[in-house]
Amino acid sequence: MSTGQTRSDRKPAPVKMVTTDTGRILRISPEDESARAAVAAAATPAPQNIDPARRTDVLFRVRRAEGHELSSWWMVGAFVVTSGLVIALLSWVPYSA
């Protein structure tokens, strides 16, 4: 009995990855080339002098110069201080020990 499905030796159509100015990644197949033109026409061109790390929709991201990266020890210290603060505050809660 046949299920109606046939096995094909065709390879899937190549998919092209396109990154827009806003950082969105789009998959474009050859059939969607007309849609790609519509997306490109709808996208507004971004000024060339804007740093993507300083966009208004990105919070707390700062691009620093080479050699001025944040040390990972700050994160370790923040974890230790936060843990100590939580333990100190929980010591004031009755019947928690």
Side-chain angles (χ1 to χ4, degrees):
M1 186 174 243
S2 176
T3 61
Q5 296 178 351
T6 59
R7 189 168 191 180
S8 175
D9 291 334
R10 292 186 315 160
K11 293 182 180 178
V15 176
K16 187 177 187 181
M17 300 293 215
V18 177
T19 304
T20 63
D21 291 335
T22 59
R24 178 176 284 173
I25 299 173
L26 302 173
R27 284 190 232 160
I28 305 292
S29 63
E31 296 85 24
D32 295 335
E33 285 298 322
S34 61
R36 180 178 177 215
V39 168
T44 57
Q48 297 297 325
N49 59 354
I50 292 180
D51 186 5
R54 300 183 191 278
R55 292 190 326 229
T56 56
D57 61 335
V58 178
L59 297 176
F60 306 121
R61 186 189 304 171
V62 178
R63 180 170 291 157
R64 293 181 172 86
E66 185 75 25
H68 292 278
E69 291 86 8
L70 187 64
S71 173
S72 59
W73 287 107
W74 283 104
M75 296 301 138
V76 172
F79 174 77
V80 170
V81 168
T82 304
S83 300
L85 184 63
V86 168
I87 291 170
L89 289 174
L90 283 176
S91 69
W92 290 91
V93 176
Y95 306 112
S96 64

